[in-house]
Amino acid sequence: MIPSTPSLRLPMALGSARPLHRLAAHATLGVGLWLTASSAIAADDFQYSRPSIAPETGSGYEEKPGWSTSSFAVAAANPLATDAGYQVLKAGGSAIDAAIAVQMVLTLVEPQSSGIGGGAFLMLAEDGEVFAYDGREQAPGGVDESLFLDGEGKPLDFMTAVESGRSVGVPGTVRMLEMAHDSHGKLPWKALFEPAITLATEGFEISPRLHQSIAATPSLADDEIAGAFYFNADGEALAAGETLKNPALAAVLTRIAEQGSSALHTGQIAEDLVARVRHHPDMPGVLSLEDMAGYAAVERDPLCTPWRQWEVCGFPPPSSGHLTLMQILGMMAARPAIETPVKDGVPTVEWLHPFLEASRLAFADRGRYIGDGDFVDAPGGDWSTLLAEDYLAKRAELIKDQSMGSGAAEPGNPAPLESALASQPEQPEHGTSHISIIDAEGQALAMTTSIEQAFGARIMANGGSDQPGGFLLNNELTDFSFRATDDQGTPIANRVEAGKRPRSSMSPTLVFDRDSGDLVASLGSPGGAAIIHYTAEAIDAMLHWDLDAQQALNLPHAITTGGTVYLEEGRFPDAVVRDLQGLGHEVETRELVSGLQALRVTEEGIFGGADPRREGVVMGD
Ligand code: DON
């Protein structure tokens, strides 16, 4: 059923003069969900009430039921955060309003993964248009390509670089949310901070996952503020179930609530943040007050890619997420149909082999071509050359019955490049969170938000407060290639440059029906480079194999960036391992801790799933 054509607004000129992607004129959420123009509502219409949500019993792999709602839903990585979004939606707030409340609560309750000291990408659909807001961290103006090299020009040890002032990029999440709220918000900005400020002031119960993350990060104790805050007097990680108050964060959030993003980017909070970076005891960074004040979120052209009967919309560079995952899915679609992609809840070798081979090829292109588009030319001047149907069909021909083997995949030639680039070797990437929301009036979003490693750079800032707590600073700059060139001196697209945004794997995704323009799904995940595999698998499973959102997220994972294949530990029968080895794959098993969140529009409304590997839940009415 298609409701009356929603009015299409002119593209908004916010930070980018480029045209925005516009969906088919009949874009809507589908059955029962209508698009109407948003109108502002008063702060008094939102009264946050503190929920009594106890932490889950454990973390690891916990079966989840999947959640059915009729008109709106929010999926986030922590029940307190999901509940804050739910209360905002219930009060008539828009999806972006709810996302702001969720993000602020995540800063408090899932500080290891994301927060106001980090960056994010946000895909948002409203009134038949799709928007892409870039809040990715930015390299300070004072850095150059030697940022992560030692005195002899050799790359620093990865964790040494992470735990330093050098890895901290200018945070962008708050500026990005403010930009999106200016255009798509309904509730006043200030009201959206109420849940986080209340929980930070009154205290929240530490979840098992937060406890485990603190315990697994002993170096966090080296930071003056974080050490005193997340560990007890005996130096032990605070226990799950303990109540933790964060008055320093409550004070910072109160100032951002009242004054907007400039309270973070200028003045006392920025001064404190910059001082923490510049006075890092081991390896200071050069982040400046000018870098903080000068940061701007950017509205980019979303990438919307036809795939089977859907249009899949995702983020352009500086994220490599959409380009790489759609290369994988595009190559799969160019090959003969797979009869049985999944059996007894486990992907079959019939599906795994081409998926892994396509991943090898897609990651070879990513390593060669993708970097911040404000600094790096796209092949042929347009990123979509990497997704052209004929190009992917040719790449798919490289997938044979036997694996091409570790390290064998070479980048293709999608279109001419003005200057030669060298491939970037893969680096470890590990703290990120995903939020999917659909509101009752049809605004939908997918936002992936990060401070990079667990607890980011392991530096806590507190806005100059003398109270306990604060917020964590990102280490997102270690997503740059540590080396600027290959051994022949050819530059790498994702090398460090002043003012550049590091390449990301984050893949917030909105899917639409190609014919009607109806919203079909919102999803995404943390997981470093494996975000790409997790999201691609979930899209294929949910849309093409027609699993429900929860079944799709439960599937065991298999990943490769071109070398060893990693299968999720304990989730695949031995026969699958043997069969893949027989096809020439080097196979190892390990934990693959995705944090997928997905909302799928159904005949009845919305069905949501949350990753059984983390603490996420879905709420809605
Ligand atoms: O932007 C990126 O791709 C990475 N910094 C994301 C890191 C991540 O997902 C860690 N998650 N567990």
Side-chain angles (χ1 to χ4, degrees):
M1 178 180 104
I2 293 171
S4 58
T5 309
S7 64
L8 289 170
R9 287 167 299 132
L10 285 174
M12 279 162 276
L14 281 168
S16 154
R18 283 169 286 181
L20 300 171
H21 182 82
R22 185 171 289 182
L23 285 172
H26 295 298
T28 167
L29 281 183
V31 181
L33 296 166
W34 292 60
L35 290 169
T36 52
S38 341
S39 51
I41 46 183
D44 293 351
D45 290 341
F46 178 60
Q47 299 290 336
Y48 176 67
S49 59
R50 204 176 180 290
S52 53
I53 296 174
E56 293 173 30
T57 48
S59 198
Y61 188 96
E62 272 187 27
E63 293 287 339
K64 303 204 170 160
W67 293 261
S68 224
T69 74
S70 56
S71 67
F72 63 84
V74 44
N78 174 285
L80 288 167
T82 303
D83 173 76
Y86 169 76
Q87 292 196 37
V88 167
L89 293 173
K90 184 102 176 144
S94 65
I96 187 63
D97 293 338
I100 294 165
V102 169
Q103 176 65 86
M104 297 310 145
V105 174
L106 287 175
T107 306
L108 175 74
V109 302
E110 201 198 25
Q112 69 272 32
S113 296
S114 75
I116 60 172
F121 294 119
L122 168 65
M123 298 292 302
L124 186 146
E126 186 176 43
D127 290 354
E129 284 185 70
V130 183
F131 305 84
Y133 294 102
D134 177 348
R136 183 69 164 168
E137 296 89 338
Q138 199 166 17
V143 303
D144 61 28
E145 48 189 54
S146 68
L147 181 68
F148 295 124
L149 301 179
D150 65 16
E152 288 162 19
K154 294 207 188 76
L156 292 172
D157 162 70
F158 188 75
M159 288 313 294
T160 304
V162 167
E163 294 180 359
S164 81
R166 289 196 199 176
S167 67
V168 181
V170 190
T173 297
V174 176
R175 282 251 151 107
M176 181 201 78
L177 289 171
E178 187 175 61
M179 176 185 255
H181 181 262
D182 283 349
S183 301
H184 307 283
K186 283 168 71 182
L187 277 167
W189 170 259
K190 187 175 171 190
L192 307 171
F193 288 71
E194 223 188 278
I197 294 171
T198 305
L199 292 167
T201 307
E202 295 177 5
F204 71 98
E205 284 183 41
I206 292 180
S207 75
R209 189 165 175 80
L210 174 54
H211 160 75
Q212 284 163 14
S213 299
I214 302 169
T217 318
S219 61
L220 189 61
D222 297 342
D223 180 78
E224 197 189 343
I225 305 175
F229 187 62
Y230 288 119
F231 298 84
N232 64 24
D234 298 328
E236 288 157 354
L238 296 184
E242 250 182 85
T243 299
L244 186 63
K245 296 180 183 175
N246 191 336
L249 178 62
V252 165
L253 293 178
T254 301
R255 280 192 264 173
I256 299 173
E258 283 165 359
Q259 297 158 30
S261 67
S262 57
L264 176 68
H265 284 266
T266 60
Q268 197 187 7
I269 301 174
E271 282 162 20
D272 170 72
L273 193 157
V274 164
R276 306 266 166 212
V277 170
R278 294 177 82 99
H279 299 140
H280 189 278
D282 302 327
M283 198 181 279
V286 296
L287 183 72
S288 70
L289 283 172
E290 291 71 36
D291 294 321
M292 286 296 292
Y295 183 89
V298 181
E299 193 175 345
R300 300 203 183 269
D301 295 341
L303 289 170
C304 286
T305 309
W307 177 72
R308 303 188 190 273
Q309 69 260 43
W310 298 282
E311 186 160 19
V312 183
C313 296
F315 222 90
S319 187
S320 64
H322 181 81
L323 288 169
T324 311
L325 80 88
M326 291 314 298
Q327 279 205 335
I328 298 171
L329 292 176
M331 283 185 250
M332 300 281 282
R335 288 175 45 83
I338 293 171
E339 248 172 59
T340 314
V342 62
K343 200 162 172 254
D344 303 328
V346 178
T348 59
V349 173
E350 191 191 357
W351 182 83
L352 286 165
H353 173 68
F355 176 75
L356 292 165
E357 294 297 276
S359 300
R360 295 182 193 280
L361 293 164
F363 274 84
D365 273 5
R366 159 177 133 126
R368 176 62 58 88
Y369 296 114
I370 307 179
D372 181 348
D374 292 343
F375 287 74
V376 177
D377 289 330
D382 190 341
W383 294 112
S384 60
T385 55
L386 285 159
L387 296 175
E389 226 174 291
D390 53 346
Y391 174 64
L392 292 183
K394 272 212 202 90
R395 295 286 281 165
E397 284 169 15
L398 300 172
I399 302 175
K400 311 283 187 207
D401 290 347
Q402 280 292 119
S403 173
M404 60 191 80
S406 287
E410 292 288 337
N413 284 305
L417 257 190
E418 296 241 328
S419 51
L421 288 171
S423 295
Q424 177 187 339
E426 286 298 330
Q427 290 170 181
E429 298 171 49
H430 297 283
T432 301
S433 206
H434 180 79
I435 305 164
S436 278
I437 305 178
I438 301 173
D439 74 23
E441 294 189 348
Q443 191 186 100
L445 65 77
M447 169 174 158
T448 311
T449 171
S450 178
I451 55 170
E452 218 300 289
Q453 293 281 308
F455 301 101
R458 285 96 199 247
I459 303 174
M460 209 162 175
N462 65 6
S465 169
D466 54 9
Q467 299 285 308
F471 61 94
L472 273 312
L473 304 187
N474 72 82
N475 67 293
E476 218 74 54
L477 301 188
T478 59
D479 276 358
F480 281 121
S481 172
F482 281 26
R483 289 183 186 277
T485 64
D486 68 2
D487 292 342
Q488 284 69 48
T490 309
I492 290 170
N494 186 34
R495 64 190 178 279
V496 181
E497 294 179 79
K500 193 175 181 181
R501 299 178 187 213
R503 188 191 69 190
S504 174
S505 305
M506 292 192 282
S507 308
T509 301
L510 295 174
V511 186
F512 301 86
D513 182 272
R514 257 163 100 179
D515 294 333
S516 65
D518 289 354
L519 179 78
V520 172
S522 164
L523 75 158
S525 179
I531 290 172
I532 289 166
H533 309 86
Y534 301 154
T535 312
E537 182 187 44
I539 291 175
D540 214 11
M542 205 163 54
L543 302 178
H544 187 211
W545 322 345
D546 217 15
L547 298 190
D548 73 35
Q550 191 59 55
Q551 290 165 338
L553 273 42
N554 293 349
L555 288 172
H557 298 309
I559 66 167
T560 181
T561 58
T564 305
V565 166
Y566 296 99
L567 297 183
E568 190 175 353
E569 204 162 41
R571 304 281 321 277
F572 285 93
D574 291 346
V576 169
V577 179
R578 278 196 305 273
D579 289 353
L580 286 173
Q581 286 169 333
L583 295 175
H585 296 276
E586 261 176 64
V587 183
E588 287 180 27
T589 58
R590 73 171 189 207
E591 262 200 324
L592 290 173
V593 190
S594 54
L596 286 149
Q597 249 78 242
L599 300 178
R600 170 90 200 257
V601 178
T602 63
E603 289 290 314
E604 294 76 34
I606 301 164
F607 189 82
D611 203 308
R613 302 158 189 86
R614 298 203 189 199
E615 294 172 337
V617 293
V618 182
M619 290 176 76
D621 282 347

